[in-house]
Coordinates of all heavy atoms in Angstrom, one line a residue:
E34 N 39.7 5.4 -28.6 CA 39.2 5.8 -27.2 C 38.5 7.1 -27.3 O 37.4 7.3 -26.6 CB 40.3 5.8 -26.2 CG 41.2 4.5 -26.1 CD 40.4 3.3 -25.5 OE1 39.4 3.6 -24.8 OE2 40.9 2.2 -25.7
Y41 N 29.8 7.7 -26.3 CA 29.1 7.6 -25.0 C 28.4 8.9 -24.6 O 27.4 8.9 -23.9 CB 30.0 7.0 -23.9 CG 30.4 5.5 -24.3 CD1 31.5 5.0 -23.8 CD2 29.6 4.7 -25.1 CE1 31.9 3.6 -24.1 CE2 29.9 3.5 -25.5 CZ 31.1 2.9 -24.9 OH 31.4 1.6 -25.3
E67 N 36.4 6.7 -20.9 CA 37.1 6.5 -22.2 C 38.1 7.6 -22.4 O 39.2 7.4 -23.0 CB 36.1 6.5 -23.3 CG 35.1 5.3 -23.2 CD 35.8 4.0 -23.2 OE1 37.0 3.8 -23.5 OE2 35.1 3.0 -22.9
H70 N 41.1 6.6 -20.6 CA 41.9 5.6 -21.3 C 42.7 6.3 -22.4 O 43.9 5.9 -22.6 CB 40.9 4.6 -22.0 CG 40.1 3.8 -21.1 ND1 39.1 3.0 -21.5 CD2 40.1 3.7 -19.7 CE1 38.5 2.4 -20.4 NE2 39.1 2.8 -19.3
E111 N 32.6 -2.0 -27.6 CA 33.6 -2.5 -26.7 C 34.3 -3.8 -27.3 O 35.5 -3.9 -27.1 CB 32.9 -2.9 -25.3 CG 32.5 -1.7 -24.5 CD 33.6 -0.7 -24.2 OE1 34.8 -1.2 -24.1 OE2 33.4 0.5 -24.1
V114 N 36.8 -2.5 -29.6 CA 38.0 -2.0 -28.8 C 38.9 -3.1 -28.3 O 40.1 -3.1 -28.5 CB 37.5 -1.1 -27.6 CG1 38.7 -0.8 -26.7 CG2 36.9 0.2 -28.1
Q144 N 39.2 -4.4 -20.6 CA 38.2 -4.7 -21.6 C 37.3 -5.9 -21.1 O 36.1 -6.0 -21.4 CB 38.8 -5.0 -22.9 CG 39.3 -3.8 -23.7 CD 38.1 -2.7 -23.8 OE1 38.3 -1.6 -23.3 NE2 37.0 -3.1 -24.4
E147 N 34.8 -4.3 -18.9 CA 33.8 -3.4 -19.6 C 32.8 -4.3 -20.4 O 31.6 -4.0 -20.4 CB 34.6 -2.5 -20.6 CG 35.4 -1.5 -19.8 CD 35.4 -0.1 -20.3 OE1 35.2 0.1 -21.5 OE2 35.5 0.8 -19.5
Ligands
LIG210 FE1 38.4 2.2 -23.4 FE2 35.7 0.9 -23.3 O1 37.3 1.0 -24.2

Side-chain angles (χ1 to χ4, degrees):
E34 302 291 342
Y41 294 156
E67 298 302 347
H70 297 172
E111 289 302 331
V114 169
Q144 282 311 116
E147 298 223 326

